[in-house]
Amino acid sequence: AETISGFRLGYASDSRTALKTALKSANASESLLVTAGMLIEPDGGGPSYDRFRNRVIFPIQDRRGRVIAFGGRTLGNSPAKYLNSPDTPVFQKGSVLYGMHLARGAARKSGRIIAVEGYMDVIALNQGGVAETVAPLGTALTELQMEEMWRLVDSPTLCFDGDRAGQKAAARAAERALPRLKSGKTMLFAALPAGEDPDSLINSGGRSAIEEVLAGAAPLSEQLWKLAGGSETITSPEGRAALNRRLNTYLEQIPDDDLKFYFRRHYKNRLFEPFTKIKSGFRGRPEQQLRRPHDDDKLLPQQGLGGRAEG
């Protein structure tokens, strides 16, 4: 009951005209209801009808708590499991985060904000005591939604399911974040265990299980390393050069030169580490040993290793 009240959850009956009749009787014009996305006008003509039918209704509120749209989860066999209001003069789904009106105060207190995949994930984490939680509205996280979170904290945490869809969502978010990055602003990435979502994890392990996942969140630099294939075992120079090219493709999208410099420096150390640890029969003079490039070089500039090969 507390959750239903806090999130203002409702229900749309399985009728094509119940809401239309009720709102028109409250002196709302039909044209206004169509503009607001509450009614649908058939393309081929005919009377308008209710957009939401036989669904649990989730009011979508702006950061001040004003209802600007709705989402609905089907209670029947509709192929569209979730349905949102269309974009309207007061609602653009790519710039709004579900739950932000509740998350703002909690985020300022805790110093963190967590983005999850959907409505039910936000509600589950709130029930588990993690109120600083938001979600995009049925689409991948957009740049405008990232900016919303950056207004509150410097390092929002993205917590997606551990399945393939969740991994793809995290990858898209990392790539979309790059052109908006600047010094002091980044993203953290936390992955739920495979087969778990926030609701199931809280039910099985309580809040401590969620907090453990959040505490293990990886920085954006690690997410990009994984996307480029750095987590795979690569020992050959050719493989490292290919990895270098993929990393550079990501880094070229970062507009902040200082940030780009430190990303390159970080990856340079990781790229050279396997080679510096190799023990071989090479006995050249110390000055002929592998040297690291200057920080303003590309990650792996072409250069000889020097010395004579033996055997």
Side-chain angles (χ1 to χ4, degrees):
E2 183 181 347
T3 297
I4 291 171
S5 174
F7 284 92
R8 303 175 69 177
L9 305 184
Y11 168 69
S13 68
D14 193 11
S15 164
R16 291 173 64 87
T17 58
L19 185 65
K20 176 180 177 179
T21 301
L23 291 177
K24 287 184 71 175
S25 69
N27 297 321
S29 69
E30 187 166 336
S31 62
L32 178 61
L33 295 176
V34 170
T35 301
M38 304 306 299
L39 301 182
I40 295 175
E41 284 186 326
D43 293 334
S48 61
Y49 58 91
D50 294 356
R51 178 178 299 275
F52 299 101
R53 302 182 305 280
N54 195 28
R55 291 176 182 269
V56 173
I57 298 297
F58 302 82
I60 298 168
Q61 295 162 261
D62 66 11
R63 68 169 74 93
R64 290 169 55 186
R66 299 174 298 184
V67 176
I68 55 174
F70 297 92
R73 187 196 189 286
T74 183
L75 293 174
N77 297 317
S78 170
K81 184 177 179 181
Y82 283 95
L83 180 67
N84 289 329
S85 294
D87 283 0
T88 70
V90 296
F91 171 64
Q92 292 77 44
K93 66 181 177 182
S95 61
V96 177
L97 286 161
Y98 180 72
M100 178 58 86
H101 66 293
L102 297 175
R104 290 173 71 203
R108 290 194 177 99
K109 289 180 181 177
S110 68
R112 68 179 183 181
I113 190 165
I114 302 146
V116 290
E117 292 189 42
Y119 305 133
M120 296 302 294
D121 297 326
V122 171
I123 291 172
L125 286 176
N126 267 266
Q127 286 183 316
V130 184
E132 59 271 34
T133 309
V134 295
L137 301 172
T139 62
L141 201 65
T142 69
E143 293 86 348
L144 291 175
Q145 289 166 336
M146 293 176 191
E147 296 282 359
E148 267 300 281
M149 292 190 289
W150 275 326
R151 287 191 184 98
L152 291 172
V153 303
D154 292 336
S155 303
T157 300
L158 310 188
C159 183
F160 298 139
D161 295 353
D163 58 14
R164 181 170 295 183
Q167 292 171 5
K168 285 184 177 180
R172 286 196 299 268
E175 292 171 356
R176 283 187 165 184
L178 290 173
R180 300 293 183 105
L181 285 184
K182 50 191 174 184
S183 297
K185 301 292 184 182
T186 188
M187 291 277 179
L188 300 173
F189 293 80
L192 292 164
E196 298 275 14
D197 58 32
D199 192 31
S200 65
L201 191 59
I202 281 180
N203 283 332
S204 62
R207 178 172 178 173
S208 61
I210 287 288
E211 292 292 355
E212 184 177 346
V213 168
L214 297 174
L220 175 61
S221 59
E222 186 63 28
Q223 181 71 12
L224 294 177
W225 178 262
K226 288 166 57 179
L227 288 177
S231 57
E232 301 170 10
T233 301
I234 301 175
T235 57
S236 70
E238 297 89 346
R240 292 269 148 181
L243 175 57
N244 165 58
R245 285 195 301 271
R246 292 191 293 269
L247 287 167
N248 272 322
T249 299
Y250 288 128
L251 299 191
E252 288 304 323
Q253 300 177 54
I254 299 175
D256 187 303
D257 289 336
D258 286 339
L259 190 57
K260 190 185 301 184
F261 166 83
Y262 283 106
F263 263 90
R264 281 202 170 119
R265 186 173 183 178
H266 171 74
Y267 290 136
K268 191 186 317 174
N269 292 335
R270 296 187 71 168
L271 283 162
F272 271 76
E273 186 178 12
F275 293 107
T276 58
K277 288 182 177 179
I278 291 175
K279 294 181 180 180
S280 69
F282 174 63
R283 294 176 186 154
R285 294 191 303 273
E287 63 270 19
Q288 293 175 313
Q289 303 287 341
L290 174 66
R291 74 171 180 86
R292 296 186 180 218
H294 294 297
D295 285 334
D296 55 357
D297 290 338
K298 289 290 187 181
L299 299 181
L300 276 175
Q302 292 183 346
Q303 60 183 4
L305 297 182
R308 294 179 293 115
E310 296 186 355

